[in-house]
Amino acid sequence: MQLPSKNIKRASLLGAVALTVFGLAAGPASARAGGPGPVTSVVGGTRAAEGEFPFMVRLGPVGCGGSLYAKDLVLTAAHCVEADGPDSSLTVTAGTVDLKNPGAVRVKSAAVRKGPGVPGDWALVKLAEPLRLPTLPIASTVEYDRGDFTVAGWGTTSFGGGQQRYLRKATVPFVDDATCAASSWGDEGDFYPGRQICAGGQGVDVCDGDSGGPMFRKDGAGRWIQVGIVSESACGHADDPGLYVRVSTYARDIRKAAAQLEG
């Protein structure tokens, strides 16, 4: 399999793909090219039920996912936003699985605070007004960084495909550091143990336009907790899992940035 260079792959994260489906433009690509033909249907997933993940949001016009960290803060990927500071260019769609639902909640951004980028590919978006929706707590320890995780998003279901109108979900298993390092992510120096988590592959993965969305699982009390942020993927290619920001590594920085935005 011929894979693009790291620079080409990183550039593709920031470019809007000129494809549409249901009138929705494809967002920043979080996937590497060069795999086999289109993989079957997030990839290998199913449609989420209305209200199943009420903390999920969509960032437009960039076409990224995100989660409600607080009523007026969205946690997403750094490559989905511009520089730190005031920013009213983003529109958050929330409260529905259907992006064309006339009852969807839509609110503008007010400011952005970015993480350092790869491998700290996280950012917080301050909203112009709070949302009356459940939030998604983040993990502050490595306790939940193994097992099976859930991912959700409105991204494509195959490399080069179109964005989805309805939220999709999938279960992705943890991939240990040694296995991830042995994949082409490790070969290209893109995997940072301790700061990223690998999960999925084998036909189940996030894909283009799922960037910034959460990877989450149940905690000891049966509540959802976020352990990862979608950073890059192979769109389900068998040899490569998805790459996620390890939220527990950056939990202190995220809390500090949230306090600064709320201050």
Side-chain angles (χ1 to χ4, degrees):
M1 178 177 66
Q2 182 65 40
L3 296 173
S5 70
K6 180 177 179 181
N7 288 338
I8 293 174
K9 198 170 40 166
R10 178 55 54 187
S12 72
L13 288 169
L14 302 172
V17 182
L19 295 169
T20 59
V21 63
F22 302 118
L24 304 173
S30 59
R32 61 171 66 205
V39 289
T40 57
S41 191
V42 164
V43 176
T46 57
R47 187 184 294 187
E50 191 68 65
E52 188 173 5
F53 308 122
F55 45 77
M56 288 292 305
V57 305
R58 185 70 169 169
L59 292 176
V62 294
C64 278
S67 59
L68 272 183
Y69 172 85
K71 297 293 186 182
D72 59 349
L73 292 174
V74 169
L75 181 60
T76 187
H79 72 259
C80 290
V81 299
E82 297 295 336
D84 286 350
D87 187 339
S88 60
S89 67
L90 301 172
T91 299
V92 167
T93 300
T96 184
V97 298
D98 178 3
L99 294 181
K100 286 197 168 185
N101 183 347
V105 178
R106 293 182 175 85
V107 61
K108 300 291 289 185
S109 61
V112 166
R113 184 57 56 89
K114 293 182 65 170
V118 177
D121 188 19
W122 64 268
L124 285 171
V125 177
K126 171 78 169 178
L127 303 181
E129 57 186 273
L131 300 179
R132 296 181 180 179
L133 292 168
T135 59
L136 179 61
I138 63 171
S140 57
T141 71
V142 299
E143 179 181 1
Y144 303 111
D145 287 357
R146 292 177 176 270
D148 288 339
F149 309 113
T150 298
V151 291
W154 288 272
T156 68
T157 58
S158 62
F159 180 77
Q163 301 290 279
Q164 300 297 294
R165 171 176 174 174
Y166 297 98
L167 182 70
R168 297 182 67 82
K169 64 177 181 177
T171 299
V172 290
F174 171 75
V175 174
D176 64 80
D177 288 355
T179 301
C180 192
S183 72
S184 57
W185 295 119
D187 292 342
E188 295 188 6
D190 286 347
F191 174 54
Y192 298 81
R195 290 180 282 176
Q196 292 175 320
I197 300 176
C198 292
Q202 302 296 324
V204 182
D205 200 358
V206 289
C207 201
D208 296 345
D210 288 322
S211 292
M215 181 171 73
F216 48 99
R217 54 161 290 176
K218 294 292 182 69
D219 65 10
R223 297 167 299 197
W224 291 120
I225 188 168
Q226 183 169 351
V227 298
I229 301 169
V230 178
S231 186
E232 295 194 68
S233 83
C235 281
H237 189 268
D239 295 336
D240 298 299
L243 279 182
Y244 300 81
V245 177
R246 190 182 293 264
V247 168
S248 60
T249 299
Y250 298 97
R252 180 179 298 179
D253 295 334
I254 292 170
R255 288 195 296 268
K256 181 179 178 180
Q260 292 171 342
L261 283 171
E262 297 282 35

